[in-house]
């Protein structure tokens, strides 16, 4: 269990190509902006007066107080997310599966693209004071959460976590911003 010291807001959707001002792998204006370095996602949020959510914040927004496997419950329902079973091999416009909304109103927290969070990859339990929230560490692997449109069923869960070095980019990782309330 994690207790948050302060309330926060998290974006309803991933940052889109039009919001970012350029396109990634997906070129539609309202598709999620992906193929960014962790630092590019972090810096974009900063320009908006925001930040990347911590891993704990992201997970709580996606899974809720009931610790659900998916934002909508514990059963995979393919109509609620964009992934390999219902996607033609591209991302979809953000929010295109409104039935997949999380308990806080956030969309696409399972499916479409994975999402960078601020946290350095470290073992659970999560401890914000163990160095994993060091925003100046430019070498340790960072966490990305959620799932993407071309992954297998087991990775569609909002409980899934992966890591990538912040100097690497991949077409399937986007992001959303958060801010203190």
């Amino acid at each position: 269990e994690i207790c948050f010291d302060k309330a926060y807001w998290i974006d309803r959707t991933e940052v889109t190509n039009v919001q970012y001002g350029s396109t990634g792998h997906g070129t539609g204006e309202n598709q999620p902006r992906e193929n960014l370095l962790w630092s590019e996602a972090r810096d974009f949020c900063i320009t908006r007066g925001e930040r990347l959510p911590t891993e704990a914040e992201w997970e709580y927004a996606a899974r809720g107080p009931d610790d659900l496997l998916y934002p909508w419950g514990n059963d995979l329902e393919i109509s609620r997310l964009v992934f390999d079973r219902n996607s033609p091999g591209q991302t979809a416009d953000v929010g295109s599966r409104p039935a997949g909304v999380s308990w806080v109103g956030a969309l696409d927290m399972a499916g479409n693209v994975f999402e960078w969070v601020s946290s350095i990859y470290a073992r659970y339990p999560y401890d914000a004071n163990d160095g994993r929230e060091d925003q100046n560490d430019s070498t340790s692997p960072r966490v990305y959460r959620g799932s993407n449109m071309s992954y297998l069923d087991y990775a569609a869960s909002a409980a899934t976590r992966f890591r990538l070095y912040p100097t690497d980019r991949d077409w399937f990782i986007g992001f959303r911003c958060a801010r203190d309330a």
Side-chain angles (χ1 to χ4, degrees), residues 23-176:
T23 61
H25 180 73
T27 58
E29 285 188 352
N30 292 314
Q31 286 179 284
R33 180 57 168 97
E34 24 65 0
N35 201 30
L36 295 166
L37 299 174
W38 174 84
S39 58
E40 292 169 326
R42 178 202 60 198
D43 293 350
F44 178 82
C45 291
I46 290 170
T47 66
R48 288 176 41 177
E50 298 177 327
R51 57 182 171 73
L52 287 172
T54 67
E55 182 175 15
E57 289 171 337
W58 190 98
E59 185 170 346
Y60 188 63
R63 301 181 68 194
D66 296 328
D67 207 24
L68 302 171
L69 290 177
Y70 305 96
W72 56 84
N74 287 319
D75 296 318
L76 176 63
E77 296 178 33
I78 63 173
S79 64
R80 294 179 182 246
L81 74 160
V82 177
F83 81 132
D84 64 339
R85 286 196 192 172
N86 62 15
S87 171
Q90 288 208 5
T91 58
D93 285 353
V94 300
S96 63
R97 299 291 196 279
V101 67
S102 80
W103 74 289
V104 296
L107 297 160
D108 300 322
M109 296 196 88
N112 224 6
V113 293
F114 289 106
E115 299 178 24
W116 283 119
V117 298
S118 66
S119 309
I120 292 170
Y121 190 88
R123 290 181 172 264
Y124 272 17
Y126 178 89
D127 180 357
N129 299 314
D130 67 2
R132 73 179 73 208
E133 294 305 334
D134 181 355
Q135 301 304 294
N136 296 315
D137 182 331
S138 61
T139 60
S140 297
R142 295 288 172 165
V143 175
Y144 58 95
R145 294 297 304 257
S147 58
N148 77 346
M149 62 85 194
S150 66
Y151 231 81
L152 304 173
D153 296 358
Y154 79 88
S157 165
T160 305
R161 66 194 294 255
F162 295 98
R163 66 180 176 259
L164 189 68
Y165 285 96
T167 53
D168 294 335
R169 67 178 77 231
D170 218 317
W171 67 268
F172 56 80
I173 305 174
F175 70 104
R176 69 181 72 219

